């Protein structure tokens, strides 16, 4: 059976500038990818996680060497696709003061929040067909792995410590 670990050595012998492995399957594969990343080769792989801090820590669950992994990791990107509110039928409402306070935003800077329509309309919106949403937008979070984060990965590899250090 072919796995990334069985295929990678043949690919690496061709000296590519970059390796893209959609899903690493085990610690041995990840260890090999870490070695290749240290050879100044771009290595890209995917991890299922809620945010960049979790994605940085999750590979350590495979029991890969934390030091090798910390030296190889350069950056983590997390992305999510979210629905966009329909510009034509979205409904404005006053922002709750407690939310603005938690976000550290002055009330006069945000006149309104928006939501999909809450009241049924007599006519269906021609833009969104009455869904309240039209299109999508991608939210992207980039975490550059610094020396401080590398120390946390090796010494204290938990999501909260990484998030606080970031």
């Amino acid at each position: 059976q072919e796995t990334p670990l069985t295929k990678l050595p043949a690919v690496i012998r061709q000296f590519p500038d970059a390796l893209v492995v959609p899903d690493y399957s085990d610690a041995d594969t990840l260890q090999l990818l870490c070695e290749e990343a240290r050879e100044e080769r771009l290595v890209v792989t995917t991890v299922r996680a809620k945010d960049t801090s979790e994605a940085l820590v999750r590979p350590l669950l495979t029991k890969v060497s934390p030091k090798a992994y910390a030296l190889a990791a350069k950056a983590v990107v997390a992305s999510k696709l979210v629905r966009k509110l329909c510009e034509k039928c979205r409904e404005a409402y006053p922002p709750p003061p407690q939310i603005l306070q938690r976000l550290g935003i002055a009330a006069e800077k945000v006149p309104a929040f928006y939501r999909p329509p809450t009241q049924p309309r007599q006519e269906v919106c021609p833009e969104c067909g009455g869904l309240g949403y039209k299109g999508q937008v991608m939210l992207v979070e980039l975490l550059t792995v610094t020396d401080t984060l590398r120390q946390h990965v090796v010494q204290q590899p938990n999501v909260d410590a990484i998030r606080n250090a970031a």
Side-chain angles (χ1 to χ4, degrees):
Q1 180 181 354
E2 288 186 345
T3 66
L5 189 58
T6 61
K7 294 296 284 180
L8 277 171
V11 171
I12 291 168
R13 283 193 293 272
Q14 296 174 18
F15 298 105
D17 293 331
L19 293 169
V20 179
V21 179
D23 288 309
Y24 60 88
S25 54
D26 55 29
D28 293 334
T29 303
L30 191 54
Q31 190 71 35
L32 180 60
L33 292 174
C34 288
E35 291 167 12
E36 290 304 310
R38 300 248 348 250
E39 297 294 323
E40 299 303 318
R41 185 170 284 140
L42 176 64
V43 175
V44 178
T45 189
T46 57
V47 177
R48 300 200 191 290
K50 289 185 269 185
D51 61 14
T52 55
S53 300
E54 183 182 332
L56 183 60
V57 173
R58 180 143 309 183
L60 295 172
L61 296 175
T62 66
K63 305 296 184 205
V64 68
S65 160
K67 188 171 184 177
Y69 173 69
L71 289 171
K74 304 287 186 259
V76 181
V77 177
S79 62
K80 289 186 183 349
L81 274 177
V82 295
R83 300 181 295 178
K84 283 178 58 175
L85 287 171
C86 176
E87 296 282 333
K88 203 161 201 126
C89 68
R90 68 185 183 179
E91 190 176 277
Y93 67 98
Q98 62 272 26
I99 300 266
L100 292 176
Q101 185 179 13
R102 280 184 57 200
L103 294 172
I105 300 172
E108 57 274 359
K109 291 206 178 231
V110 181
F113 279 0
Y114 294 91
R115 63 182 165 219
T118 56
Q119 303 298 318
R121 298 179 181 238
Q122 291 180 349
E123 294 179 24
V124 174
C125 174
E127 287 294 312
C128 67
L131 294 174
Y133 298 96
K134 182 171 181 181
Q136 295 177 326
V137 65
M138 183 176 279
L139 304 177
V140 179
E141 178 185 5
L142 170 66
L143 176 64
T144 304
V145 181
T146 62
D147 289 338
T148 302
L149 288 175
R150 284 187 182 86
Q151 287 175 348
H152 280 282
V153 166
V154 173
Q155 297 168 359
Q156 191 181 13
N158 70 60
V159 176
D160 291 331
I162 298 293
R163 194 172 287 126
N164 289 336

